Every structure is written in structure tokens, then in C-alpha cells.
Amino acid sequence: MAIVTQDDPFYVPLFFESFFSRLSDGIEVESIVELPSFDESGVELARRMFGFYGPVGFVRRGVEFAGRTALDAVGVGRYSVASVADEYGVPVERRESVNDPAFVERLRKRDVDVLLSVSAPEIFDVELLDAPNWGCLNVHTADLPNYRGMMPTFWALYHGEEEVGVTVHTMAEEIDRGEAVRRTSFPVADDDTLDDVISRGKEVGGELAARALDDIEEGRVSRSPIEGEGSYFSFPTPDERREFQHRGGELL
């Protein structure tokens, strides 16, 4: 199998710590492909994060980002996908796109059975979806089809959900569709921040993805269609963030 993801020093490494610690020995990860996080400039990304976190949260997050990045660079803690993967002997490569025909052909030539998407920032073309022998899987922190789209955990807390779902599903041309192969949920405590819940969702998602791959390996995977309109949300606006905080929600 192969994995497509993006990097950050906060959440994605938590997924891989959980995933690799629970992955069966018989399942080989050929490589992890790391893509650029956002298709936007550094200035645009900073503006987006400022709008989401607000002035105080933006500064706090920036300090945490710099600190974790520095610690990871000197080997104190594992705050990157690469450092977690290195612990488990899995190679990491960086690419601009996984829809590149050369990469698609490589998957076919190497007889890759499953391509797993973990917070992948690029939409998979049909050719890529068809390349693995078994198919492509995605991990989404919501009980699909509810909370399709971006930042599902934020929107679940925004709407007062008392538990958050996690779905591992096959990938189709339409985003966050396909068929569910594993589902679970976990409770939200009254004092949980958004940061707490996203972190827990990544850990739960890692375990659930490992179990889904066990199902595939053992030939006992069950699929259920993701049916119904559900709900779809885009990245929160500053006004929506302020409304979340006005309702008592905390980001960090």
C-alpha cells in the first residue's frame, strides 16, 4: 500500500503514530507521499489562519508551530510525518501532485493494492482512483455523509454535537462519497477545545484505518453506500469562528 498526505506539526503526525502502532506486520507501506499543504502563497495562508484563530490564537499557534518544528529538527519529539515514518522505517517522498501520470504508472507497476488518503490536499483524478488493485481509501473525521467538506470537526462542535464520527471509506469522483468500510465515533467532553477534539479524531482515525486495512488483507471487508445528501461545509469564515467562540467554544 501507499499513503498520500500533507504535513503539519500538530495533527497529522498523531494519525501516523496511532496508525503505525496498530498496523499489522503483514501489511507493507511502500511509501508516504507528502503534498504541499495549501495551494496558496505564504501570505494568503497566514491571512487565512489569522482569520480563523484571531489575533491572540494566531500568535500562540505561530509560536507553537515554530517550537515544534525546531524540536522535530533536532530529534526532540516527533512532530512531523517524516519523523514518525522514520521511526517505523517507512520512506517519505515529497511531490507537487499525485495525479502526475508517472506516479499513477508507478503505482500500477509496483502492484500497489491500496492507496490511503490522509488529509490529502489534492483531489484524486479518475486515473489515480483506478490505479491501485483494490482501490483508494480516505479517512474523514465525521459520520458521512454529514459534515462533508473542510474542517468537519469544527462544524460538528459549531452545531453542538455531543460526539464526533470517523469514517474510512472508498474514494469516488465525488468528494467524501464512495462506500464506508469502517465507522466509529467518540464523545466530546464539555471542556474539550477544538484542538483537543481534532487531536483525538486523528488518533481514532489512525486506529480505524489500520483496522480497515486488516479487513481488506483478510478478505472480510464490508462496504455500505454513503447515501443521502447529508451536509457540506467549507472553511470557516472569521464571523463563523467568532460565533463559535460566542457560543462558548474554544479553539485552543
Side-chain angles (χ1 to χ4, degrees), residues 110-152:
R110 296 190 180 181
D111 212 26
V112 170
D113 290 319
V114 177
L115 183 62
L116 176 65
S117 168
V118 181
S119 300
E122 182 176 27
I123 297 172
F124 289 10
D125 288 346
V126 174
E127 291 78 9
L128 180 60
L129 292 173
D130 291 340
N133 295 327
W134 188 89
C136 296
L137 287 178
N138 181 55
V139 185
H140 190 77
T141 314
D143 186 20
L144 291 173
N146 297 317
Y147 300 111
R148 295 162 54 225
M150 300 183 71
M151 297 289 288

Side-chain angles (χ1 to χ4, degrees), residues 182-194:
R182 276 270 183 175
R183 292 182 187 270
T184 193
S185 62
F186 60 92
V188 177
D190 291 340
D191 59 349
D192 275 341
T193 66
L194 176 64

